Amino acid sequence: MIQETEYREGLDELAKHYRDILSLIGEDPDREGLEKTPMRVAKAMQTLTKGYEEDAHEVLRQALFKEDYSQMVIVKDIDFFSLCEHHMLPFYGKAHVAYIPNGYITGLSKIARVVDIYSHRLQVQERLTLQIKECIQQTLKPLGVMVVVEARHMCMQMRGVEKQNSITTTSDFCGAFNQAKTRQEFMNLIHNNKI
């Protein structure tokens, strides 16, 4: 059974604005196919921006475990969807996250939750990459963190330059990942598809 999403305050007002947008682009918001569209879009927008209501640091703190493991932990191929803040069009792809514990680890699913929280905000890929890294670094205080994000941007595919096959890659790292050898190990591991 699908659980009903709880929507934030302002949903009705948001729907009214989307009704106005339909009129401004030359549509008839009273047309049968569009009658419920303003509310549907308002609900979708609140879902796509739910990350503003969540604390990624707290998510990690809730699953912090003392552990002596001090080798690289990688969660790769984390699917995400976000909205470009410049055009409010989607960009989507995969995030790859590694950290080297320094006495504490976190639940693996919490790394994916951090990606979800920051991607469910109006974003640019560069900031998304930085926010994921900083959250893990500040909360876990590991020996190092590295994040690589690969994404396709609908603002480049549907409009503007219209380059459908372009992929944007961003990375950020700190600590032990400042060493080229450690970064290379991470890159080799994320591009190895064997399980």
Side-chain angles (χ1 to χ4, degrees), residues 45 73 85 95 104 138:
M45 188 57 68
V73 177
E85 70 180 33
Y104 289 92
Q138 292 167 4

Side-chain angles (χ1 to χ4, degrees), residues 35-148:
E35 284 177 332
K36 295 181 181 178
T37 296
M39 183 56 73
R40 285 188 195 110
V41 177
K43 287 179 177 180
M45 188 57 68
Q46 282 203 354
T47 299
L48 295 170
T49 60
K50 68 183 180 179
Y52 289 117
E53 303 293 315
E54 299 174 299
D55 183 344
H57 296 272
E58 186 57 32
V59 165
L60 290 178
R61 281 192 290 270
Q62 289 174 356
L64 204 56
F65 308 104
K66 189 154 183 55
E67 192 60 56
D68 289 332
Y69 185 78
S70 61
Q71 299 300 313
M72 199 179 301
V73 177
I74 300 173
V75 182
K76 68 177 192 171
D77 295 331
I78 303 168
D79 292 318
F80 76 89
F81 298 87
S82 193
L83 289 176
C84 162
E85 70 180 33
H86 299 145
H87 303 98
M88 292 180 67
L89 289 171
F91 69 96
Y92 61 94
K94 294 186 182 300
H96 315 285
V97 180
Y99 73 99
I100 299 174
N102 187 18
Y104 289 92
I105 61 171
T106 190
L108 298 175
S109 68
K110 304 310 179 195
I111 301 293
R113 288 280 299 124
V114 167
V115 173
D116 281 347
I117 289 169
Y118 288 118
S119 65
H120 280 82
R121 300 176 182 186
L122 296 183
Q123 275 293 8
V124 294
Q125 184 174 331
E126 297 87 344
R127 183 186 320 117
L128 174 63
T129 306
L130 175 67
Q131 287 175 329
I132 296 166
K133 184 211 72 177
E134 286 184 342
C135 178
I136 294 166
Q137 180 63 36
Q138 292 167 4
T139 308
L140 299 182
K141 299 186 181 5
L143 298 173
V145 181
M146 184 163 179
V147 178
V148 172

